[in-house]
Amino acid sequence: MPDPIILNFSLMELVAYVLLWAVLGALPGFYLFYANNRNPRTGASLGVVSGVVIGWALAAFSAELNTQLIVNTTAVMWLITLLLAATMPRGTHNVTVSLQQRIADLAYGLLLPTFLIVFAIIIFPTIWNLVFSLRPIKMRDLADASIFSLEGLTLDNFDRVFSTRGGQFWDIMLTTLVYTFFGSVLAIFLGLVAALVAKDSFPGRGIFRGFMLFPYIAPVISLAFIWEMLLNSRFGFINEIVASLGGTRVDFLTTPGWALLMIILFQGWRYFPFSFLFILARIQAIPDDMYEAAKVDGAAPSERLWFITLPQLRAVFGTLFLLRFIWTFNKFDDVFLLTGGVAGTEVVPVQIYNWLFSRQNVGTASATAIVMAVILFGVVAIYFRWFLVAEEV
Amino acid sequence: MTAQSQQAPTGMSREEFELAVGRVVKWILIVFFLVITVFPFYWMLNLAARPFADVLQNPTQLLPDGDQLATIPDTLAAIWEDYSFKIYVGNSLVISVVTVLLTLLMAVPAAYAVTRLDFKLKAAMSWGILLIYMFPAIVLAIPLFVIYTRLGLRGQLFGVIVVYMSQTLPVSLYMLRSYFTTIPVDLEEAALIDGCTRLQTVWRVTIPLSIPAIVTVALYVFMIAWNEFLFALLFLQSTPESWTLPIGLQQLNKAQEVPITYLMAGSLIITVPVILLYLFFERFLTSGLTAGAVKG
């Protein structure tokens, strides 16, 4: 006999749980009323109320939060809703409200599931990340329900981010910025060269273009493996070539300096196809007249490239750099799989992972994630300002 | 031609000279790019075919001999059975296919609403899509890890599928929206006048006309889910029976004594389906990419 008094939930956990049921209840309520030509907003409100009741009841009578329980009761709830939908008399909602209102209702109905997912997986966790970063939570606390509470807020985690291990955070941030900047630039540069090669037709151009995408679409895990094999100091193809040219074998992925260069090269290699396609599309949109006119004026091919093609690509470079910068800055898998963050290649996302799993410190991992997001936002804001000014000139 | 005729007749004009140099440079670059994009994949096959002892002896042997190539099926069979790759392939397929179906089920109606229907939050939606597209995954990872642990969702394929949906929905919405705007409104209005409801119109007019875009979105979502590493690592690491291919392969690598031949064969199993899918649908995919399909 379960204890009817809620003992196992913290207050925040209970609120979150009931909120989840409220949203789950709103969905069938909305659709049920819409299908029966009644006001779907009333249906959604009723759904919220019944969802809160169900959520509260389940929370009160269950010993632990349990996925199976959620799945089962959701199924029952939707079944009841279907039955109700079949038996409920049709209303007259469509005669009483404006067409505009009905169209808006439909739009919200079509968007509700997407909203729900975005709320549950993006907005809700982000808020909790903020809370966790302000609380001293360790991995072992996950067994305890008090993890979702607002008590004992402190800035210790942020202190730890910046202070422990001799201010290493800024070293890691610098590594991240170097990796991000040069990785992005290299990806765009290689993309530009490949696009210039592919812009005029040559035999096998279609196949060439097809092959260019390989590094981009393949799973990162196998790409990291094959790089490890090629760079291996005992039997790696690259090291064999180095040795046959009279050089000494290098452990590229574990030697400081080389390792950072390798993750930058990997970044440039894996993502140049992305810039390649964008730049190629833009190059092909440059009108032929411009080249013809320049030719008539006596401009050589190199001058046409320098004075026509490249200036025309400036906006694409700007956009590509922004996108690549943001995505590289947040990138975890590439570095984690290639070097694991050793030999001076620890970037912030890898550090966050290490806080979480090596040092089992959830709070400090969250704080690092917040700091990372804020710095990224700052850099992007500066870039936007600088970029917009540059475009006006 | 005009430029050339203006040049002095002696020797090569600058135009001709640069064009000649350009041709040579161009072919050197073509070879360079082909080598860097194709060779690593070929090398994967090469290392999967040759026994490790042979690799150590002849690290640069470019072609495996016939006997060695004949061992590939045995190697594949070994990792399929002995290293549970059949389970990982199954998990990866379930996750990818279900993610594709659910994402489409949500993204198509939502994209229609954003394109064709008027409502108050419409402008905010476009910004929201962009913002989520840029959102750092690692910021979501920690709280989701905690929430999943508390809900008992860790180790369950469903938990990963929901996260993949949240990662692919904004992009799918964006791509479908830009395609829907190219469909003439007249066609839909004709259907509405003929007595179709809005939803019937979507089903009978909009969706059939958007098959190319829907195929593109489906392929991208499939590839993202098939390749994804971070969330699968976080949520599935501790439950081997729900490992996806990338996690299975990474864990195989962590177990020291596994031969490199097996690792490379595993890499082939995970890479070949994606490459085949790409080669088969290349046209769809390259156009989708410039529409902003994949982040990463």
Side-chain angles (χ1 to χ4, degrees), chain B residues 237-283:
Chain B
Q237 198 172 18
S238 51
T239 46
E241 69 274 11
S242 27
W243 283 352
T244 58
L245 271 174
I247 303 307
L249 199 56
Q250 188 243 357
Q251 300 288 331
L252 190 67
N253 184 35
K254 268 167 71 180
Q256 295 295 332
E257 69 279 15
V258 176
I260 289 208
T261 322
Y262 285 5
L263 279 183
M264 289 296 106
S267 300
L268 279 182
I269 289 186
I270 175 168
T271 311
V272 167
V274 178
I275 297 277
L276 287 181
L277 216 57
Y278 164 68
L279 290 177
F280 203 73
F281 292 101
E282 197 203 328
R283 192 170 296 241

Side-chain angles (χ1 to χ4, degrees), chain A residues 26 30 50 56 87 114 142 164 181 234 247 256 270 286 301 317 325 334 347 380 389:
Chain A
F30 189 99
S50 66
W56 188 267
T87 51
T114 304
L142 258 62
T164 36
F181 179 81
R234 274 193 304 153
R270 185 169 175 220
I286 299 174
F317 290 151
F325 191 92
D334 297 37
V347 291
V380 170
V389 171

Side-chain angles (χ1 to χ4, degrees), chain A residues 13 67 121-122 125 129 142 145 197 210 213 216-217 219 222 225-226 269 271 277 302-304 323-324 357, chain B residues 14-15 18 30 36 40 43 59 119 132 134 139 143 150-151 166 227 234 253 260 271 274 278 289 294-296:
Chain A
E13 210 164 14
T67 336
I121 304 294
I122 294 175
N129 193 319
L142 258 62
V197 166
L213 270 282
Y216 190 64
I217 54 154
S222 46
F225 276 175
I226 196 62
W269 173 74
Y271 297 101
L277 282 186
S302 59
E303 290 166 329
R304 300 203 286 268
L323 288 175
R324 286 261 48 95
F357 286 105
Chain B
R14 183 174 172 189
E15 173 90 12
E18 286 198 5
I30 288 173
I36 66 166
W43 202 243
F119 57 100
I132 292 165
M134 300 291 158
V139 174
R150 293 297 298 159
L151 285 173
S166 78
N227 293 354
L234 285 177
N253 184 35
I260 289 208
T271 311
V274 178
Y278 164 68
L289 202 74
V294 180
K295 78 169 176 180

Side-chain angles (χ1 to χ4, degrees), chain A residues 349-363:
Chain A
V350 173
Q351 193 199 21
I352 294 173
Y353 180 88
N354 287 338
W355 273 118
L356 194 60
F357 286 105
S358 310
R359 272 161 270 164
Q360 307 269 307
N361 194 330
V362 179

Side-chain angles (χ1 to χ4, degrees), chain A residues 287-334:
Chain A
D288 281 340
D289 315 3
M290 296 182 77
Y291 292 111
E292 289 300 325
K295 218 168 161 181
V296 171
D297 290 344
S302 59
E303 290 166 329
R304 300 203 286 268
L305 172 68
W306 191 253
F307 292 109
I308 298 177
T309 315
L310 291 183
Q312 286 283 320
L313 293 176
R314 215 166 67 170
V316 184
F317 290 151
T319 316
L320 279 175
F321 186 76
L322 183 68
L323 288 175
R324 286 261 48 95
F325 191 92
I326 294 174
W327 288 333
T328 312
F329 194 84
N330 297 328
K331 203 86 207 153
F332 165 80
D333 3 7
D334 297 37

Side-chain angles (χ1 to χ4, degrees), chain A residues 8 13 64-67 70 100 103-104 106-108 110-111 113-115 117-118 120-122 124-126 128-129 132 139 142-145 147-148 190 193-194 197 200-203 206 208-223 225-226 228-230 234-237 240-241 269 271-274 277-278 281 295-296 298-304 323-324 326-327 330-333 336-337 349 352-353 356-357 362 365-366 369 372-373 376, chain B residues 1-3 6 14-15 18-19 26-27 29-30 32-34 36-41 43-44 47 52 55-56 59-60 62 106-107 109-114 117-121 125 132-140 142-154 156 162-163 165-167 169-170 173 198-199 223 226-230 233-234 237 246 249-250 253 260 263-264 267 270-271 274-275 278-279 282 285-286 289-292 294-296:
Chain A
N8 292 309
E13 210 164 14
E64 259 293 324
L65 282 185
N66 180 329
T67 336
I70 295 179
Q100 202 184 358
I103 287 180
L106 177 64
Y108 290 126
L110 297 177
L111 285 164
T114 304
F115 274 138
I117 291 273
V118 167
I121 304 294
I122 294 175
F124 188 70
T126 307
W128 276 111
N129 193 319
F132 291 158
M139 202 62 129
L142 258 62
D144 188 11
I147 187 157
F148 293 100
L190 283 175
V193 176
V197 166
D200 302 314
S201 69
F202 56 84
F208 175 82
R209 231 182 64 155
F211 280 142
M212 283 308 104
L213 270 282
F214 274 22
Y216 190 64
I217 54 154
V220 60
I221 178 101
S222 46
L223 296 179
F225 276 175
I226 196 62
E228 276 172 41
M229 298 301 132
L230 289 169
R234 274 193 304 153
F235 57 87
F237 193 86
E240 284 306 317
I241 291 176
W269 173 74
Y271 297 101
F272 88 84
F274 182 81
L277 282 186
F278 272 83
K295 218 168 161 181
V296 171
S302 59
E303 290 166 329
R304 300 203 286 268
L323 288 175
R324 286 261 48 95
I326 294 174
W327 288 333
N330 297 328
K331 203 86 207 153
F332 165 80
D333 3 7
F336 179 77
L337 287 170
I352 294 173
Y353 180 88
L356 194 60
F357 286 105
V362 179
S366 303
M372 187 194 86
L376 175 64
Chain B
M1 296 305 112
T2 334
Q6 285 167 355
R14 183 174 172 189
E15 173 90 12
E18 286 198 5
L19 283 179
K26 180 172 160 176
W27 279 103
L29 286 172
I30 288 173
F32 167 76
F33 278 109
L34 283 179
I36 66 166
T37 51
V38 180
F39 181 74
F41 293 90
W43 202 243
M44 204 184 283
L47 291 185
F52 189 51
V55 174
L56 281 178
T60 52
L62 278 179
M106 292 193 178
Y112 181 81
V114 179
L117 305 176
D118 263 324
F119 57 100
K120 272 185 204 145
L121 298 172
M125 278 289 303
I132 292 165
Y133 193 34
M134 300 291 158
F135 207 80
I138 197 96
V139 174
L140 308 175
I142 303 160
L144 280 175
F145 179 81
V146 174
I147 294 168
Y148 274 26
T149 309
R150 293 297 298 159
L151 285 173
L153 267 175
R154 248 174 73 201
Q156 296 199 11
V162 176
V163 176
M165 282 170 67
S166 78
Q167 297 293 302
L169 264 172
L173 253 171
R198 278 276 176 181
L199 292 180
M223 283 188 181
W226 181 268
N227 293 354
E228 207 280 336
F229 181 74
L230 170 61
L233 179 73
L234 285 177
Q237 198 172 18
L249 199 56
Q250 188 243 357
N253 184 35
I260 289 208
L263 279 183
M264 289 296 106
S267 300
I270 175 168
T271 311
V274 178
I275 297 277
Y278 164 68
L279 290 177
E282 197 203 328
L285 290 169
T286 39
L289 202 74
T290 34
V294 180
K295 78 169 176 180

